Amino acid sequence: MGTARRPGRARRAAALACLWLAAAVPPAAADAEKGRAALEKGDYKTALVELNRDAKAGDAGAMFILGQLYAEGKGVKADHKVAFQWMERAARLDHALAQSSLAMFYSEGIGTARDDAKSLEWGRKAADAGVLTAQFIMGVRYNNGVGVARDAAEAVRWWTRAAERGFIRAQVALASVLSQRAGAGAASPEQASADRVEAAKWLIVAGAERLPGAEKMLPELKAKMTEAEVEAAEKQAGEWRPPVAPQ
């Protein structure tokens, strides 16, 4: 492991992706029924009345949606400080998607002072709660040493958690780091073989040949694999199924 370093463009891109993906919250994630129904109709005036009422009554889902609206300037004048305040209130009520967004707010200094430690704290809470984007970003942090000491094993652990639940970006990232580890020469022949098979499995599952920037990963990896390894990877990929979401 190494020392932590300041993030660059990769961190900004990952953080902004976190906000975009968190904004795609499914309807079931919020309890503010009337406010959400009004939003779906484009009736921001009614939505804001209902959401503010619910938020003041302690509804974390309503707080989260208000945070989104103020962050994006939808139905209201964009106000990052107000967005931050609503996100923080929702996050403290254990709203996982708000925790993920709050981590990004702290990471980028949106509506508050930039604070890497708090970004990591809230990002970890969201990841532990099962937010896939947060798990992916935790992997990015540990792989690149963003706010933490570099730790490849931790990166693999977080990306594996998200990959196993069907998060494509984590599947590709995991495949990349496993493939690199297999070719580094530090592992035993048995471990290197297992890493190649696991990497190929995730690339097949992810459909990497159709993903911009990842099209060549599987063919290049297969060129380094034995026929038995390729067969094993294809078999494992064919048997993999994403977990069934609880009803």
Side-chain angles (χ1 to χ4, degrees):
M1 292 192 282
T3 57
R5 60 181 174 83
R6 296 291 295 180
R9 293 183 180 178
R11 177 191 180 186
R12 180 172 294 273
L16 291 177
C18 180
L19 178 63
W20 183 86
L21 287 164
V25 55
D31 298 322
E33 297 293 340
K34 292 182 180 178
R36 189 176 65 247
L39 278 180
E40 291 173 352
K41 296 176 183 178
D43 184 358
Y44 287 102
K45 183 177 180 180
T46 300
L48 287 165
V49 170
E50 296 293 340
L51 290 168
N52 273 287
R53 179 184 297 128
D54 290 340
K56 289 175 182 178
D59 188 322
M63 295 174 192
F64 171 65
I65 296 173
L66 284 171
Q68 289 180 301
L69 294 178
Y70 277 100
E72 300 169 14
K74 290 185 176 179
V76 292
K77 182 178 180 180
D79 189 326
H80 289 164
K81 288 186 178 180
V82 174
F84 170 81
Q85 290 167 0
W86 282 121
M87 284 296 181
E88 183 180 39
R89 288 182 63 182
R92 292 190 182 282
L93 291 173
D94 294 327
H95 192 287
L97 287 169
Q99 292 171 342
S100 182
S101 291
L102 188 62
M104 187 275 295
F105 277 43
Y106 275 120
S107 173
E108 295 299 304
I110 297 174
T112 187
R114 190 168 173 174
D115 190 320
D116 285 343
K118 288 184 178 180
S119 176
L120 177 61
E121 175 189 352
W122 287 107
R124 190 183 298 278
K125 285 179 182 292
D128 284 336
V131 178
L132 293 177
T133 52
Q135 292 176 347
F136 171 73
I137 290 171
M138 286 299 294
V140 173
R141 280 182 174 277
Y142 279 104
N143 190 61
N144 298 335
V146 177
V148 295
R150 293 189 69 176
D151 188 333
E154 272 296 284
V156 167
R157 185 175 77 85
W158 283 112
W159 282 337
T160 298
R161 287 183 63 178
E164 287 176 343
R165 292 176 57 209
F167 196 71
I168 291 175
R169 293 176 68 189
Q171 292 169 347
V172 174
L174 179 59
S176 177
V177 74
L178 289 174
S179 178
Q180 291 173 18
R181 189 170 73 181
S188 66
E190 294 78 12
Q191 183 61 55
S193 177
D195 284 344
R196 285 191 294 270
V197 170
E198 184 77 357
K201 178 193 82 173
W202 286 121
L203 290 173
I204 295 168
V205 168
E209 71 280 359
R210 300 187 299 274
L211 301 176
E215 308 96 324
K216 297 180 180 180
M217 290 180 66
L218 185 57
E220 290 176 352
L221 178 57
K222 282 185 173 180
K224 303 173 185 177
M225 299 170 68
T226 66
E227 183 176 339
E229 288 173 343
V230 172
E231 289 178 356
E234 291 175 344
K235 182 176 184 294
Q236 291 178 23
E239 294 173 346
W240 181 84
R241 296 292 183 275
V244 177
Q247 298 298 316

